[in-house]
């Protein structure tokens, strides 16, 4: 086999699945895209060495897995604010942040590949991505390939250069770790499958009118809000009301645009008033998680590069 025979359409058909694998491994679409791009380069460069002793798919995932493992050796665990810090004691404007590389960020859809429909959508929920990050990298890869992609132990062993027995051992340890992990984000996310449309509509109306009483009334008694990259997060209706009052100047006049994140989960993109009447500019992506038709957790991801990634405009008219 030679380089001129490189099957680019075949690799392109695998990209959605590869991207979803790398996103689960790395917790960031930027890192996942970089890993998939580097995989494509290495596949092309190494095409002449592919001897078909394994399937093309296994070979490509071996390259992608090794790239992810290399990235993870050089980085710290990504997380969500509620898993790193306790809720705020004093309600002040948030100031302390961690770098973008510290946080898990939401992802858009990976594409319409038929294979992608077989991948369990619940394993793209942000709480599950956070749980995955608690695993050692190789265990993480084994669990994703087995429990999410439903590969055989033999195929995983070929991909990760392990014995089938080592794969099964790593899988058992990974599952035990996931069962023991007590992340607050998992507790806040394992309630309703997704918000009811009527609740989302009421949230949009209350937020756009910035009716604080109506907004807070939508929350569960233990409802909370987090705002990566800020460390601070707020829990309880009283503190939420105080926080919204404190930040009214910043959010009043905003508009919310419906989008979907992480496999089709409903979310809202917030545009806030720009400076000197320049229209509305990107601010944050609200992911709303509910319990008994009340808001349990709003994750407001304040990261403007997400807007272009989701195909959203750079500004909107007021």
């Amino acid at each position: 086999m030679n380089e001129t025979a490189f099957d680019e359409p075949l690799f392109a058909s695998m990209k959605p699945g590869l991207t979803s694998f790398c996103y689960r491994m790395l917790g960031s679409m930027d890192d996942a895209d970089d890993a998939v791009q580097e995989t494509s380069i290495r596949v092309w460069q190494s095409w002449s060495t592919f001897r078909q002793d394994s399937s093309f798919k296994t070979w490509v995932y071996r390259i992608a897995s090794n790239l992810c493992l290399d990235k993870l050796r050089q980085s710290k665990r990504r997380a969500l604010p509620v898993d790193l810090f306790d809720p705020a004691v004093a309600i002040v404007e948030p100031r302390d942040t961690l770098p973008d590389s510290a946080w898990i960020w939401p992802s858009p859809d990976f594409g319409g590949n038929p294979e992608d429909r077989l991948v369990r959508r619940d394993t793209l929920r942000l709480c599950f991505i956070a749980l995955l990050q608690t695993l050692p990298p190789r265990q993480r890869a084994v669990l994703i390939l087995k429990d999410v992609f439903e590969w055989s132990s033999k195929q995983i062993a070929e991909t990760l250069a392990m014995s089938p027995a080592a794969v099964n051992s790593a899988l058992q340890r990974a599952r035990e770790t996931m069962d023991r992990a007590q992340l607050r984000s998992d507790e806040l996310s394992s309630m309703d499958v997704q918000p009811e449309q009527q609740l989302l509509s009421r949230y949009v109306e209350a937020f756009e009118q910035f009716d604080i009483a109506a907004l807070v009334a939508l929350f569960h008694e233990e409802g909370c809000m987090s705002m990566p990259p800020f460390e601070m997060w707020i829990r309880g209706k009283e503190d939420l009301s105080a926080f919204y009052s404190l930040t009214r100047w910043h959010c009043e006049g905003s508009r919310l645009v419906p989008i979907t994140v992480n496999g089709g989960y409903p979310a809202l993109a917030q545009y806030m008033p720009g400076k000197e009447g320049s229209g509305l500019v990107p601010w944050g992506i609200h992911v709303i998680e509910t319990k008994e038709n009340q808001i349990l957790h709003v994750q407001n991801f304040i990261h403007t590069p997400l807007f272009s990634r989701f195909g959203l405009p750079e500004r909107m008219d007021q």
Side-chain angles (χ1 to χ4, degrees):
M1 197 173 288
N2 55 56
E3 288 188 15
T4 59
F6 173 55
D7 193 337
E8 195 167 341
L10 179 58
F11 181 82
S13 72
M14 293 175 60
K15 281 183 76 173
L18 272 175
T19 304
S20 67
F21 169 75
C22 293
Y23 173 69
R24 287 177 174 90
M25 283 290 291
L26 302 170
S28 157
M29 276 302 295
D30 286 343
D31 285 359
D33 281 347
D34 288 347
V36 172
Q37 179 63 24
E38 182 64 25
T39 298
S40 70
I41 292 169
R42 293 195 186 183
V43 167
W44 182 83
Q45 290 174 337
S46 306
W47 183 251
S48 61
T49 69
F50 176 51
R51 297 287 181 243
Q52 297 188 1
D53 54 340
S54 62
S55 73
F56 177 67
K57 181 177 179 178
T58 299
W59 182 62
V60 170
Y61 271 82
R62 182 184 305 155
I63 294 170
S65 298
N66 286 334
L67 280 164
C68 288
L69 293 173
D70 286 344
K71 281 179 175 286
L72 290 168
R73 287 188 194 101
Q74 303 165 22
S75 61
K76 295 181 179 179
R77 169 193 154 201
R78 288 179 179 268
L80 297 165
V82 295
D83 294 327
L84 294 182
F85 306 99
D86 288 329
V89 175
I91 302 304
V92 296
E93 287 188 31
R95 290 187 175 83
D96 295 334
T97 63
L98 291 179
D100 293 344
S101 60
W103 304 113
I104 291 166
W105 299 104
S107 76
D109 293 334
F110 301 111
N113 192 326
E115 178 188 352
D116 223 29
R117 290 198 289 270
L118 302 176
V119 176
R120 290 166 41 204
R121 195 175 77 166
D122 60 315
T123 66
L124 277 172
R125 297 192 71 179
L126 290 160
C127 62
F128 187 81
I129 301 298
L131 277 170
L132 285 173
Q133 309 310 302
T134 66
L135 296 176
R138 192 166 290 273
Q139 287 183 28
R140 193 182 310 176
V142 168
L143 185 128
I144 293 168
L145 292 173
K146 185 68 173 178
D147 287 1
V148 179
F149 285 79
E150 299 181 350
W151 285 21
S152 68
S153 295
K154 181 176 181 293
Q155 191 177 7
I156 297 169
E158 291 174 358
T159 301
L160 299 177
M162 302 167 68
S163 70
V167 166
N168 291 332
S169 175
L171 180 63
Q172 182 179 351
R173 294 197 306 273
R175 286 172 174 167
E176 288 172 353
T177 300
M178 293 279 278
D179 288 342
R180 282 197 313 268
Q182 295 184 329
L183 296 185
R184 194 181 269 125
S185 59
D186 187 38
E187 178 189 330
L188 293 172
S189 303
S190 58
M191 305 300 176
D192 298 342
V193 174
Q194 63 180 31
E196 293 186 9
Q197 186 55 51
Q198 186 180 24
L199 179 62
L200 283 177
S201 298
R202 289 163 63 201
Y203 180 84
V204 170
E205 181 180 2
F207 197 94
E208 289 185 344
Q209 294 180 2
F210 219 71
D211 182 337
I212 294 174
L215 194 55
V216 172
L218 300 176
F219 280 82
H220 187 274
E221 204 61 44
E222 292 297 310
C224 56
M225 177 175 60
S226 57
M227 305 155 287
F230 294 103
E231 299 174 4
M232 176 184 179
W233 62 279
I234 298 105
R235 181 165 62 188
K237 287 189 173 187
E238 186 176 336
D239 284 354
L240 284 165
S241 181
F243 183 80
Y244 282 130
S245 298
L246 187 67
T247 56
R248 174 186 286 277
W249 65 272
H250 182 79
C251 291
E252 203 164 26
S254 291
R255 277 184 60 192
L256 298 177
V257 177
I259 60 170
T260 58
V261 302
N262 290 58
Y265 194 85
L268 300 160
Q270 179 189 349
Y271 286 80
M272 58 168 281
K275 296 178 180 177
E276 299 173 0
S278 59
L280 300 171
V281 297
W283 177 245
I285 304 291
H286 298 219
V287 180
I288 299 171
E289 308 196 271
T290 62
K291 176 183 179 181
E292 299 166 356
N293 203 28
Q294 292 179 301
I295 295 172
L296 192 63
H297 186 197
V298 175
Q299 299 184 76
N300 185 4
F301 293 92
I302 302 171
H303 188 51
T304 53
L306 286 172
F307 281 69
S308 59
R309 180 168 291 286
F310 280 89
L312 294 162
E314 292 183 4
R315 66 178 58 246
M316 296 178 67
D317 294 333
Q318 280 181 293

